[in-house]
Amino acid sequence: VKRVIFYRLTDATRNVFESVIVPKLKASLSSSLSHYLPLAGKLVWEQLDPKPSIIFSPNDAVSFTVAESTADFSSLSGNLPFFSIELYPLVPELSVSDESASAVSFQVTLFPNQGFCIGVNVHHAVLDGKTTTMFLKSWARKCKEEEAAHTSLPQDLTPFYDRAVIKSPRDLDTEVLNVWHSLAKMFSGGKEPENPKSLKLLPSGEVGTDVTRYTLSLTREDVEKLRERLKRESSVSSLATKELRLSTFVVVFSYAWTALIKAKGGDQERLVGYGFAVDCRSLMDPPVPSTYFGNCISACFKTPIKAETFMSEEGFLAAATLVSDSVEALDESVAWKTPELLEAFATIPPGALLLSVSGSTRFGVYGLDFGWGRPEKVVVVSIDQSEAISMAESRDGNGGVEVGFS
């Protein structure tokens, strides 16, 4: 998962960048990693081991790249459309080979007299969005407050490492790995992969030079109007057989999904669907601590459905009804359905529009103040690789939502 966090700072000369900003970021990153040691380690899969492991030691390090850009800071950090490919020089490479993979890598890039950005590339097998954001908040706190490495973190930023709290009812590890092997074989054209234990990521398509991205900003009032519209329509429609769960996520995701289906037009018989990640920490019984370190997510899929369902006047309501039902049905069992979800993903018909979402309005990414103020913009770069949108809370903190499209 790739993110870029922009900070506007007109005083960011090359001298200030090299003598103040970079040293502070490096020192606080090192301090923060002392609390998140696995991030400095490697994901490895020894040939005799049944599953991968994270190996780390106190002397490990992460990749930290320093760069300079002549690109237009205001364009890249604004809401108007721009070419997606312009973001990629701002994202660091993640070291991945057959034998090992880095957990994270970072890059800080100067835009002289405009500002700077922090590029983040994380391996999803090691950590999810919740853990990633926890670490970034810890790093920002250490940088802003100039805290020493030995200074403890507040409880809500202190990672919880005890894997024993995850009590799987079956041998889920083996099941997931078996399905993953089948998927690797499928992506290899039916042939056995040369290295079944390779840690290389699945190939992703090249991003075309004409691909653009833009941000839709919905205010709190906008979201509330959409919510009220759904309430009115559901009260007189046969589509909604029960009261809808109209959370901000349900409203905004349904709205974006419907808009994309209508915008693409085409054959009403074509197949569409959606999927979204589910944080399982609070769903488990007993609940897992919210600061649990790692990847503690599953997913929810709904596919295939004919596009005509969402291209009518009641399309928005139809989408919200489905998404509401999906959210309402979530319980602890979703955590143990990963093998079935992977198998279902492999059966999605070619050409189907399956919309997914990256990020969350609950992460609080606009609170990432490293000492130079709130971010000007937070961009999820990796939505370019699939039919995906990104979601984050609005920068002004007034209850709105930013939706990123590519």
Side-chain angles (χ1 to χ4, degrees), residues 19-52:
S19 63
V20 179
I21 296 174
V22 170
K24 286 190 68 174
L25 287 172
K26 289 179 70 174
S28 54
L29 175 60
S30 178
S31 176
S32 303
L33 286 169
S34 67
H35 299 275
Y36 288 79
L37 280 178
L39 295 186
K42 298 283 186 182
L43 182 68
V44 299
W45 196 350
E46 301 292 348
Q47 289 301 313
L48 297 180
D49 289 344
K51 61 183 180 180

Side-chain angles (χ1 to χ4, degrees), residues 195-206:
N195 182 358
K197 294 187 175 183
S198 172
L199 291 172
K200 286 185 177 179
L201 302 173
L202 293 176
S204 56
E206 290 289 324

Side-chain angles (χ1 to χ4, degrees), residues 1-2 84-85 88 91 202-208 211 213 345 354 356 380-389 406:
V1 179
K2 303 170 183 176
S84 297
I85 201 169
Y88 283 81
V91 181
L202 293 176
S204 56
E206 290 289 324
V207 177
V211 174
R213 56 188 304 141
F345 182 77
L354 179 70
S356 60
V380 181
V381 180
S382 40
I383 63 171
D384 291 332
Q385 306 296 334
S386 60
E387 296 283 0
I389 61 171
S406 175

Side-chain angles (χ1 to χ4, degrees), residues 175-209:
E175 290 184 39
V176 170
L177 291 173
N178 287 339
V179 176
W180 188 254
H181 178 77
S182 299
L183 286 176
K185 184 176 179 179
M186 183 183 75
F187 281 109
S188 301
K191 300 177 182 178
E192 286 290 335
E194 292 183 11
N195 182 358
K197 294 187 175 183
S198 172
L199 291 172
K200 286 185 177 179
L201 302 173
L202 293 176
S204 56
E206 290 289 324
V207 177
T209 56

Side-chain angles (χ1 to χ4, degrees), residues 8-174:
R8 184 175 296 280
L9 188 66
T10 55
D11 294 336
T13 61
R14 187 175 289 112
N15 179 58
V16 169
F17 182 68
E18 293 175 349
S19 63
V20 179
I21 296 174
V22 170
K24 286 190 68 174
L25 287 172
K26 289 179 70 174
S28 54
L29 175 60
S30 178
S31 176
S32 303
L33 286 169
S34 67
H35 299 275
Y36 288 79
L37 280 178
L39 295 186
K42 298 283 186 182
L43 182 68
V44 299
W45 196 350
E46 301 292 348
Q47 289 301 313
L48 297 180
D49 289 344
K51 61 183 180 180
S53 303
I54 301 172
I55 305 298
F56 60 93
S57 70
N59 295 322
D60 287 334
V62 298
S63 172
F64 183 89
T65 304
V66 178
E68 183 174 318
S69 174
T70 58
D72 185 344
F73 180 92
S74 294
S75 173
L76 299 182
S77 62
N79 289 344
L80 297 178
F82 63 89
F83 291 116
S84 297
I85 201 169
E86 295 181 51
L87 289 170
Y88 283 81
L90 311 177
V91 181
E93 291 294 323
L94 192 65
S95 177
V96 179
S97 68
D98 285 327
E99 294 77 25
S100 69
S102 297
V104 294
S105 60
F106 303 99
Q107 176 176 320
V108 55
T109 304
L110 170 68
F111 297 79
N113 301 112
Q114 299 178 81
F116 67 95
C117 69
I118 299 174
V120 184
N121 199 343
V122 307
H123 201 301
H124 228 324
V126 179
L127 65 168
D128 57 19
K130 178 68 183 295
T131 298
T132 302
T133 310
M134 264 180 55
F135 174 74
L136 291 174
K137 288 179 178 179
S138 302
W139 181 14
R141 176 189 173 93
K142 290 280 185 183
C143 188
K144 184 177 182 179
E145 305 298 333
E146 299 185 355
E147 293 181 346
H150 64 267
T151 306
S152 61
L153 292 169
Q155 187 174 357
D156 64 328
L157 298 180
T158 302
F160 182 88
Y161 291 110
D162 186 2
R163 291 298 192 260
V165 298
I166 305 291
K167 302 184 186 300
S168 172
R170 59 191 211 248
D171 187 8
L172 203 63
D173 290 349
T174 301

